[in-house]
Amino acid sequence: MTDEPPPAENPKPAEPSGVDLARVALRAAKEQARARGDAAQQKRQARRGGGLRSGARADGRDPMAFGAAINRLITERGWETPAAVGGVMGRWPQIVGEDLAKHCEPEKYDEDERVLVVRCDSTAWATNLRLLAPQLVARLNEDLGHGAVKLIKVNGPSGPARRYGPLRAPGSTGPGDTYG
């Protein structure tokens, strides 16, 4: 047999002493007084005209910086991705390069399908952009976040507007309909 003490059992948590109880009571009294003071202040503000006056301290009624207001609106409405894509459209020359930006410009972004539509001024530049589209999608997703753009739809130059006049046959598509 050894003279070792028996293993310690779970000691009971210490009961709060008088000083601890006094601290808890003081904290509760302060919170109640603060709540009564806040309620009384709200009552006074309501009597004075609904609290439309601003005091020396900052509160929720003070004006907000324009950038902070826009950021809050974007976050509340869930417009983060469309706003980011709009920023990309503004920085298009830095993203694709000056040469390509001179001949191709983004037209619109479809948020549901995550498709960016780009119009080029010639078919040669449209073909060039179609070949560069996978690298461009990767660069855009790197900038905007994964999956923001799934596809780039490239449109070539638009043709001249169709003229409808008195010498046109109904249903005719113009001179192109006679070539087969």
Side-chain angles (χ1 to χ4, degrees), residues 87-158:
V88 164
M89 290 185 178
R91 295 180 290 123
W92 185 250
Q94 290 86 16
I95 293 172
V96 298
E98 293 294 328
D99 289 339
L100 195 57
K102 288 178 187 175
H103 300 284
C104 304
E105 62 181 18
E107 281 190 335
K108 67 179 180 176
Y109 174 70
D110 184 0
E111 185 181 1
D112 297 331
E113 296 182 21
R114 302 200 184 281
V115 174
L116 179 66
V117 179
V118 179
R119 176 151 321 267
C120 296
D121 62 1
S122 71
T123 55
W125 282 104
T127 303
N128 191 14
L129 187 64
R130 284 186 191 102
L131 294 173
L132 294 173
Q135 292 94 352
L136 193 55
V137 167
R139 193 178 314 167
L140 289 170
N141 283 331
E142 187 178 295
D143 191 32
L144 299 173
H146 183 68
V149 177
K150 290 184 179 178
L151 177 71
I152 294 180
K153 182 177 177 185
V154 181
N155 293 333
S158 58

Side-chain angles (χ1 to χ4, degrees), residues 8-16:
E9 293 181 22
N10 289 339
K12 282 182 150 182
E15 292 291 324

Side-chain angles (χ1 to χ4, degrees), residues 159-165 168 171-174:
R162 292 186 182 177
R163 291 187 218 125
Y164 295 100
R168 298 199 51 90
S172 170
T173 58

Side-chain angles (χ1 to χ4, degrees), residues 35-97:
R36 281 193 309 266
D38 288 344
Q41 184 178 3
Q42 288 175 356
K43 242 185 210 180
R44 282 192 302 270
Q45 284 180 348
R47 276 187 299 216
R48 284 188 290 174
L52 298 175
R53 296 176 185 92
S54 181
R57 294 185 189 95
D59 64 5
R61 299 168 296 166
D62 287 341
M64 177 184 292
F66 185 69
I70 293 295
N71 288 337
R72 188 169 111 192
L73 179 69
I74 287 172
T75 304
E76 287 174 355
R77 303 278 171 105
W79 295 340
E80 289 91 357
T81 302
V85 171
V88 164
M89 290 185 178
R91 295 180 290 123
W92 185 250
Q94 290 86 16
I95 293 172
V96 298

Side-chain angles (χ1 to χ4, degrees), residues 8-27:
E9 293 181 22
N10 289 339
K12 282 182 150 182
E15 292 291 324
S17 65
V19 174
D20 293 332
L21 289 173
R23 284 187 183 133
V24 169
L26 179 63
R27 187 177 307 125

